Amino acid sequence: MAKAKETTLRCVTTLAVIAVVCALLLSVLNSVLYVSATPDDLIGLYSAVDGYEWEVVDVNDDQPYSGGKVILVAKGTMDGKDDYLGLLVQTEKNGKLNESTYAMFINMNTDALEYAAFVTEGATGGFNWQYAKEHSKSGDQVSTGATALTGLLSGDKSNSQAAWREWESFYGVITDQTALDYTDAVPAKTGATRTVTATYDAFNIVARYYYDNFVKGE
Amino acid sequence: MKAKDIALDGLFRQNPTLKLVLGTCPTLALTTAAMNGVGMGLAVTFVLIFSNAIISLLRNVIPSKVRIPAYILIIATFVTITRMVLNKFLPSISASLGTYLPLIVVNCIIIGRAEAFASKNPVLSSALDGLFMGLGFMFALTLMGIFREILGSGSVFGVKLWDFSIGFFVQPAGALFTYAIFIAVYSLVYSAFLRAANERKNKDGLAVKGARGNA
Amino acid sequence: MLEMIPVIIFTAMLSQNFILVQFLGICPFLGVSKNTDSAFGMGMAVTVVMVITTLITYPIYNYILVPLGFEYMEIIVFIFVIASLVQIIEIILKKTSKSLYEAMGIYLPLITTNCAVLGVAELVLTSNLVHNLLDACVYGLFGGLGFTLAIVLMSGMREKLDSARVPKPLEGFPITMILACFMAMAFGMF
């Protein structure tokens, strides 16, 4: 009987030790493999800012935004060219859709949101900014978001500024189909519709952040 | 066991996919494209090398009663690590493997090699066994991926070859059909190989006998 | 969102059938489909484990792992839940119902490493159809029933196959897979 007890004890201890070691190993690796953002992540995404020098600006995280957070703000400069603000936004994990990171580029002279791209995607497929611009809901389907989007894209400073001010929400601006169409001919993966929601969140966060920190005071 | 034997077993004689018919779930589900085969193969190889090595290292420590749960814990750890590494360095592969990445934990090849090989052999040969079993798996998956991608989408590794394609091959039914053909062809080749090996052995045997007779 | 339930039932059982479309649980599908009785026993055992697994893992993931930021422990936690669950069910069956234990017991140890079980735990986290625990359990239940349907149908055909003559290289696994291929084509129609 004592022997049996001893073996049981040994079994349980061995398992417990293995489990603890595994959990510790994973938590260490998780912190090592955690991807933190640097301005290098902005390079090569948008051809108009190729060759720009990027300087990190402290992220102002006074206000929490829903759906994600701004993880990097950098100011890009180049002699004789417009200044740009590059932002990295990380949207929250939504079910099995992992965190996605979006880079957005705003021309600081016109205040126009010129380009958005995925840095890392939580699901397979891609999001094409140009396509979204062409297919965003507008006209008959006018929503505040669509108006804002059109304004943001106009490249005209007063229009852009008005758009940042009037902006309410981008939800519904881009049709679900847009994201699905741009899954690079890969069959739509789980998380495709969540990708759309994450994209809305990313736009909303950037819009709010830019308005709070760069437009409001002017 | 000699390294050459371990290599031959993993790649050909005991090929996990074609001979042992293990790990069938990812084999069928992910071979729609050649790149998926490579990605899954790499992930499984990585897990196999480390789980085999660690299990072999602990083979005298783990009581046999709880060995299966212990193996599963170790395997699950390495699968999680693989997932983290892929997420960081190769996010596109990680995304295309999707749900099948965590399912490597229950891939019969890994627990099968742990039980059949790593629990009885020293660390180095266990790691080698893991490497070659993984490569054998990757080899079979990639071949099937190439076959299905060419016929089903008219491309190889994402490079378009022509517009002609037979949709059947990228559908689930096509996966089963392809796998059936591959196993059948493998068993033909394998039996031819065995026959050739036997003949050679017989010949050698006769020669030896002849030599003795002469003496 | 109760109107989603029929959609989930249809998807889990037929159009995204675990075996024939998603290829989860192929090992038992090929291994335990030689006769109809054992196929049914295996199918039922898998269904029971699938339902209880989703019932446990779905809340664990959403209410414990996510708030604590321990998502990376997901795989270990899930496989641990499944392995212990299978052990517990085996012990309970052994103590309470001898007949049920005889019918299902021998299949239980195989279930821990059945892709379909860990698969359902993972899938309900990704699926666009699943929004709450009820959805998840329904997905698990009908996924399991779809599994049973496929494996029982297969066993019926394999019983006939025993008396048929098959070309030599196709004997064993290949011919079984070609049979499954035809079934997958039928399920592909959904």
Side-chain angles (χ1 to χ4, degrees), chain A residues 27 30 93 96 190 193-194, chain C residues 61 72 74 122 125-127:
Chain A
S27 62
N30 186 54
K93 198 177 167 92
K96 218 31 184 294
T190 37
T193 49
R194 287 175 193 198
Chain C
Y61 184 80
Y72 61 90
E74 165 198 327
E122 295 280 340
L125 302 177
T126 2
S127 173

Side-chain angles (χ1 to χ4, degrees), chain A residues 22-23 26-27 30 93-97 99 189-194, chain C residues 61-62 66 69 71-74 76 122-123 125-128 130-131:
Chain A
C22 289
L26 284 184
S27 62
N30 186 54
K93 198 177 167 92
N94 179 357
K96 218 31 184 294
L97 175 72
E99 293 101 345
K189 289 276 174 178
T190 37
T193 49
R194 287 175 193 198
Chain C
Y61 184 80
N62 284 307
V66 173
E71 288 103 327
Y72 61 90
M73 293 294 286
E74 165 198 327
I76 288 200
E122 295 280 340
L123 272 176
L125 302 177
T126 2
S127 173
N128 290 327
V130 177
H131 300 285

Side-chain angles (χ1 to χ4, degrees), chain C residues 48-154:
Chain C
V48 170
V49 176
M50 273 169 81
V51 175
I52 307 179
T53 301
T54 25
L55 197 62
I56 301 173
T57 55
Y58 189 81
I60 285 188
Y61 184 80
N62 284 307
Y63 303 116
I64 300 179
L65 295 183
V66 173
L68 291 177
F70 283 166
E71 288 103 327
Y72 61 90
M73 293 294 286
E74 165 198 327
I75 302 175
I76 288 200
V77 170
F78 283 12
I79 194 73
F80 184 74
V81 167
I82 295 168
S84 356
L85 185 68
V86 169
Q87 280 285 313
I88 293 169
I89 294 181
E90 198 177 347
I91 293 169
I92 294 177
L93 277 187
K94 209 174 189 173
K95 291 245 159 92
T96 54
S97 159
K98 202 162 185 286
S99 58
L100 208 57
Y101 179 72
E102 272 165 11
M104 277 166 69
I106 45 168
Y107 307 112
L108 280 170
L110 295 173
I111 291 178
T112 311
T113 52
N114 184 331
C115 299
V117 179
L118 186 59
V120 78
E122 295 280 340
L123 272 176
V124 292
L125 302 177
T126 2
S127 173
N128 290 327
L129 297 171
V130 177
H131 300 285
N132 54 43
L133 185 57
L134 178 68
D135 292 352
C137 290
V138 171
Y139 200 107
L141 173 62
F142 284 92
L145 291 177
F147 178 93
T148 313
L149 178 71
I151 198 170
V152 168
L153 285 176
M154 186 69 193

Side-chain angles (χ1 to χ4, degrees), chain A residues 73-95:
Chain A
V73 184
K75 195 172 169 180
T77 48
M78 195 169 163
D79 284 344
K81 288 204 173 172
D82 290 353
D83 289 354
Y84 276 84
L85 196 71
L87 298 105
L88 286 182
V89 186
Q90 191 177 54
T91 56
E92 282 162 11
K93 198 177 167 92
N94 179 357

